[in-house]
């Protein structure tokens, strides 16, 4: 018998294999023997399955990455709410604390796959739409690490030319932050871009599609700020408890580039204004899409006044609506937008082995939250400080990072491999890109299927092989139901590979019968892949 305790005083509901809906402020769900739980926050996935003492409050906090009010269990249960909640693991129980909104606890499934699919079909069904397929079929290139805040026409074209000259295929090229005079200005700054339209046209001729970094921030004391203030398209400071109608002081928030006002997308007219500016950029400069950065729930203060009352999390979700206009999109922070044709990128990782080891659990948990069209972070890491000075660079780490990304849904470069790697290591990375191209038809089959069914593209071992003791494996994953991928994510050039039940054929042509643990020395240019020939 499965029991759920709902505390408003104390109410006890007990049943077997049924669904529960509660509107209590605290719901306690017992954890069964050998039951493991995942979910809530992508950037915390390396701490999953959730362990005793874990505690996270989703209200106003998306964990600097993607988050969803969903937890799923290896016993087939899921917990869902339309609103953010706090969840904690203590005394072999999950406690869900919220503000009185409905909590759904569903125990109809038998395993992790059931739990996820049951939740997906009910609360965030796939829309049958895809992002731009070039994001999957070719590597992506982001100008951030090479140019940081010095985005300029000359160096962007040089970077693009170097991609091709060094034998990498053209794909999506992302122009990152500081291309405009200030935030809210939707034109390229003339001191760095003498002919921005011509630059984009040249990139198109070279075989690239072009994305541009944008954010929901507006620099204060600018012409655009004054226009938006007059139209009341910004969030307002609610510390004086005025109504939206009477509010007159724009909210100024602190983010990683200083202090800015924030767009209020609860106002349809504000969203239309912002979308019109994006359309202007597309028409004027021939852009193909946008990298929509920031949008984290914690950039929307709890005391902010908006046109329509909304939680910080809801403001984050509304930022996601803008990406639906553009098949070529990318987000780094998101709330409750599973099943949509939006590309999600994992949070910037440090150039370290510790952060490399987070890629697989973060990617697979993203899949369990409905974010299937997800990109791992930039190869080698996305924090530019790691690449200042060759003494800080670990060439082997860059190659192993490329290996880890190669058979994920997408593969994104930023630091130029030809600039930082030896000839041998550069050849290893190019070999990994070539290996990916061999699997692109299968990846695209999974992408199209996921758009219809919501099923993850990259899956935890437990998802595909339930109840075989695989729930805590974090260094290998399944690409669909067919391929087990086991990249090296440590400084050692060898690793243990855990094969579940079935007959497996390795990329080197060896056949193994599982369950079996094998230990292999893995050369720098090898990505271990095992094809499942027979599951039983």
């Amino acid at each position: 018998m499965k029991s759920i305790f709902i505390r408003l005083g104390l109410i006890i509901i007990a049943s077997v294999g049924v669904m529960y809906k509660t509107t209590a402020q605290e719901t306690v769900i017992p954890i069964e023997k050998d039951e493991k739980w995942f979910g809530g926050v992508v950037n915390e996935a390396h701490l999953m399955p959730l362990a005793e003492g874990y505690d996270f409050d989703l209200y106003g906090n998306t964990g600097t990455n993607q988050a969803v009010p969903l937890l799923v269990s290896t016993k087939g249960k899921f917990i869902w709410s339309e609103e953010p909640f706090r969840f904690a693991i203590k005394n072999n129980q999950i406690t869900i604390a919220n503000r009185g909104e409905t909590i759904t606890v569903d125990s109809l499934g038998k395993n992790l796959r059931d739990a996820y699919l049951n939740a997906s079909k009910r609360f965030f069904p796939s829309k049958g739409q895809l992002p731009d397929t070039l994001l999957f079929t070719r590597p992506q290139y982001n100008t951030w690490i090479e140019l940081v805040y010095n985005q300029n026409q000359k160096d962007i074209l040089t970077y693009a030319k170097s991609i091709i000259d060094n034998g990498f295929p053209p794909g999506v090229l992302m122009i990152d932050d500081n291309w405009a005079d200030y935030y809210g200005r939707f034109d390229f700054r003339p001191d760095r871009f003498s002919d921005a339209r011509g630059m984009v046209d040249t990139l198109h001729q070279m075989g690239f599609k072009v994305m541009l970094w944008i954010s929901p921030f507006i620099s204060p004391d600018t012409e655009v700020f004054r226009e938006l203030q007059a139209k009341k398209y910004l969030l307002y400071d609610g510390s004086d408890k005025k109504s939206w109608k009477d509010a007159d002081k724009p909210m100024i928030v602190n983010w990683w580039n200083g202090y800015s006002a924030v767009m209020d997308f609860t106002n349809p007219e504000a969203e239309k204004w912002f979308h019109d500016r994006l359309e202007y950029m597309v028409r004027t400069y021939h852009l193909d899409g946008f990298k929509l950065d920031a949008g984290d729930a914690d950039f929307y203060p709890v005391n902010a006044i908006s046109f329509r009352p909304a939680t910080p999390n809801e403001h984050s979700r509304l930022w996601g609506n803008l990406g639906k206009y553009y098949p070529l999109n990318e987000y780094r922070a998101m709330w409750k937008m599973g099943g949509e044709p939006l590309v999600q990128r994992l949070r910037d990782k440090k150039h370290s082995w510790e952060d490399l080891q987070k890629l697989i659990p973060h990617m697979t948990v993203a899949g369990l939250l409905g974010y299937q069209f997800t990109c791992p972070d930039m190869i080698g890491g996305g924090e530019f400080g790691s690449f200042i000075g060759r003494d800080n660079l670990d060439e082997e780490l860059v190659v192993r990072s490329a290996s880890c990304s190669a058979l994920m849904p997408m593969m994104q470069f930023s630091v130029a491999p030809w600039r930082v790697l030896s000839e041998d290591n550069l050849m290893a990375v190019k070999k990994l890109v070539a290996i990916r191209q061999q699997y692109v038809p299968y990846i695209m089959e999974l992408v199209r299927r996921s758009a219809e069914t919501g099923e993850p593209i990259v899956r935890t071992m437990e998802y595909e092989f339930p109840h075989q003791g695989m729930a805590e494996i974090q260094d290998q994953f399944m690409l669909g139901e067919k391929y087990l991928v086991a990249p090296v994510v440590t400084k050692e050039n060898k690793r243990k590979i855990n094969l579940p039940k079935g007959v497996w054929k390795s990329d080197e042509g060896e056949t193994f019968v599982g369950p079996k643990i094998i230990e292999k020395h893995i050369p720098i240019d090898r990505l271990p892949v095992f094809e499942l020939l027979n599951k039983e």
Side-chain angles (χ1 to χ4, degrees):
M1 180 169 286
K2 302 175 183 178
S3 300
I4 293 180
F5 302 85
I6 307 165
R7 291 176 181 162
L8 271 180
L10 180 64
I11 303 172
I12 301 176
I13 299 176
S15 190
V16 178
V18 299
M19 294 176 289
Y20 306 86
K21 281 191 176 181
T22 84
T23 54
Q25 291 182 331
E26 189 172 277
T27 304
V28 180
I29 300 99
I31 299 174
E32 297 181 43
K33 182 181 179 181
D34 299 324
E35 183 177 27
K36 309 292 184 182
W37 285 85
F38 301 81
V41 195
V42 168
N43 201 45
E44 298 273 293
H46 57 286
L47 302 176
M48 299 176 194
L50 298 172
E52 177 74 14
Y54 186 85
D55 191 328
F56 195 96
D57 191 349
L58 291 165
Y59 189 87
N61 187 4
T62 54
T64 71
N65 216 183
Q66 301 87 24
V68 179
L70 171 69
L71 302 175
V72 290
S73 107
T74 57
K75 296 285 188 176
K77 294 202 290 284
F78 74 78
I79 302 167
W80 170 269
S81 175
E82 293 293 339
E83 300 298 333
F85 53 72
R86 179 176 180 175
F87 58 104
I89 311 295
K90 187 176 181 181
N91 298 328
N92 212 35
Q93 299 178 129
I94 300 178
T95 300
I96 305 293
N98 65 359
R99 291 156 182 80
E101 301 90 1
T102 298
I103 298 288
T104 299
V105 183
D106 182 313
S107 61
L108 295 176
K110 296 181 179 179
N111 52 48
L112 190 61
R113 181 196 292 265
D114 289 346
Y116 167 73
L117 290 178
N118 289 342
S120 171
K121 289 172 184 176
R122 288 186 61 195
F123 295 109
F124 46 95
S126 290
K127 304 303 186 293
Q129 299 175 319
L130 294 177
D132 192 310
T133 57
L134 186 61
L135 292 159
F136 305 96
T137 59
R138 295 287 184 89
Q140 306 165 16
Y141 307 92
N142 188 298
T143 61
W144 173 242
I145 295 297
E146 291 300 299
L147 304 184
V148 195
Y149 290 110
N150 185 30
Q151 304 293 318
N152 69 87
Q153 181 171 328
K154 177 178 178 295
D155 289 338
I156 289 168
L157 289 173
T158 298
Y159 180 63
K161 185 175 184 299
S162 296
I163 291 168
I164 295 172
D165 288 349
N166 283 278
F168 288 81
V172 172
L173 188 141
M174 302 177 183
I175 299 173
D176 219 281
D177 187 11
N178 210 27
W179 51 268
D181 290 318
Y182 57 83
Y183 300 111
R185 173 74 172 171
F186 286 89
D187 274 302
F188 284 88
R189 52 190 296 174
D191 60 328
R192 295 186 181 178
F193 297 88
S194 59
D195 180 11
R197 179 191 295 180
M199 173 192 69
V200 176
D201 288 344
T202 298
L203 292 169
H204 286 159
Q205 292 165 8
M206 296 168 70
F208 294 96
K209 287 188 177 181
V210 183
M211 295 175 69
L212 187 67
W213 183 97
I214 60 169
S215 75
F217 299 116
I218 306 297
S219 296
D221 298 325
T222 61
E223 181 180 359
V224 173
F225 171 82
R226 288 186 285 274
E227 174 194 350
L228 296 176
Q229 182 181 14
K231 293 178 176 178
K232 299 203 76 168
Y233 289 174
L234 302 171
L235 290 185
Y236 281 81
D237 190 332
S239 56
D240 55 9
K241 301 188 184 305
K242 291 182 178 179
S243 67
W244 178 84
K245 183 180 178 181
D246 297 327
D248 54 8
K249 181 182 178 183
M251 176 69 74
I252 303 297
V253 304
N254 183 16
W255 62 298
W256 65 79
N257 279 339
Y259 293 85
S260 299
V262 193
M263 292 294 301
D264 176 11
F265 293 122
T266 70
N267 186 337
E269 291 300 316
E271 181 186 355
K272 182 179 184 303
W273 180 90
F274 200 93
H275 180 221
D276 286 347
R277 303 315 296 157
L278 298 186
E279 288 296 292
Y280 163 79
M281 293 294 289
V282 169
R283 290 193 309 271
T284 304
Y285 299 107
H286 302 167
L287 297 167
D288 301 295
F290 298 94
K291 172 182 175 178
L292 300 101
D293 205 357
D296 306 63
D298 57 341
F299 292 141
Y300 297 93
V302 174
N303 67 332
I305 298 174
S306 53
F307 174 80
R308 173 174 59 80
T311 64
N313 301 65
E314 175 65 4
H315 284 297
S316 182
R317 189 192 70 80
L318 290 170
W319 176 233
N321 279 334
L322 284 157
K324 296 179 186 179
Y325 293 112
Y326 304 99
L328 204 56
N329 65 75
E330 184 195 89
Y331 284 89
R332 193 264 311 138
M334 188 51 54
W335 171 253
K336 208 176 70 170
M337 289 290 267
E340 300 288 350
L342 301 177
V343 173
Q344 308 292 339
R345 179 177 62 82
L346 297 184
R347 175 173 168 56
D348 304 61
K349 300 290 188 287
K350 296 177 182 177
H351 180 73
S352 71
W353 290 99
E354 180 183 4
D355 269 21
L356 176 61
Q357 290 156 24
K358 296 177 182 178
L359 279 184
I360 292 175
H362 288 195
M363 180 65 70
T364 52
V365 167
L368 292 175
L369 295 177
Y371 298 128
Q372 311 311 345
F373 309 132
T374 301
C375 181
D377 188 35
M378 305 164 193
I379 288 167
E383 294 193 359
F384 74 91
S386 303
F387 297 94
I388 299 174
R390 291 301 293 265
D391 291 343
N392 296 325
L393 184 80
D394 186 332
E395 290 196 25
E396 185 179 347
L397 176 58
V398 175
V399 179
R400 295 303 192 187
S401 176
S403 178
C404 195
S405 296
L407 292 186
M408 287 183 173
M410 305 175 198
M411 186 181 198
Q412 185 175 121
F413 289 95
S414 189
V415 67
W418 51 89
R419 180 176 68 82
V420 299
L421 298 181
S422 67
E423 184 175 348
D424 287 346
N425 285 331
L426 176 60
M427 290 301 296
V429 169
K430 291 170 72 172
K431 180 178 177 181
L432 290 164
V433 172
I435 288 172
R436 175 181 178 81
Q437 292 307 119
Q438 297 172 19
Y439 289 88
V440 161
Y442 183 66
I443 291 173
M444 287 309 303
E445 176 187 329
L446 294 172
V447 167
R448 294 188 177 96
R449 196 191 315 165
S450 181
E452 298 297 331
T453 68
E455 197 133 44
I457 297 167
V458 167
R459 306 170 184 177
T460 67
M461 299 303 300
E462 179 69 22
Y463 184 97
E464 201 60 39
F465 298 93
H467 311 310
Q468 293 190 36
M470 303 256 165
E472 300 192 33
I473 293 178
Q474 294 191 333
D475 60 355
Q476 60 187 59
F477 62 89
M478 290 297 297
L479 178 61
E481 63 278 347
K482 191 174 180 180
Y483 295 106
L484 187 158
V485 186
V488 172
V489 292
T490 68
K491 189 73 173 174
E492 296 180 81
N493 289 325
K494 63 180 180 179
R495 60 155 298 158
K496 292 181 180 179
I497 300 167
N498 197 319
L499 299 177
K501 292 178 183 178
V503 180
W504 300 87
K505 182 179 180 181
S506 80
D507 55 294
E508 295 185 317
E510 295 180 278
T511 300
F512 301 90
V513 178
K516 186 180 184 66
I517 296 176
I518 59 176
E519 189 166 352
K520 285 279 188 179
H521 174 83
I522 311 296
I524 192 72
D525 62 348
R526 183 190 168 199
L527 173 57
V529 181
F530 295 78
E531 181 181 0
L532 181 59
L533 302 179
N534 188 329
K535 198 164 188 175
E536 298 301 329

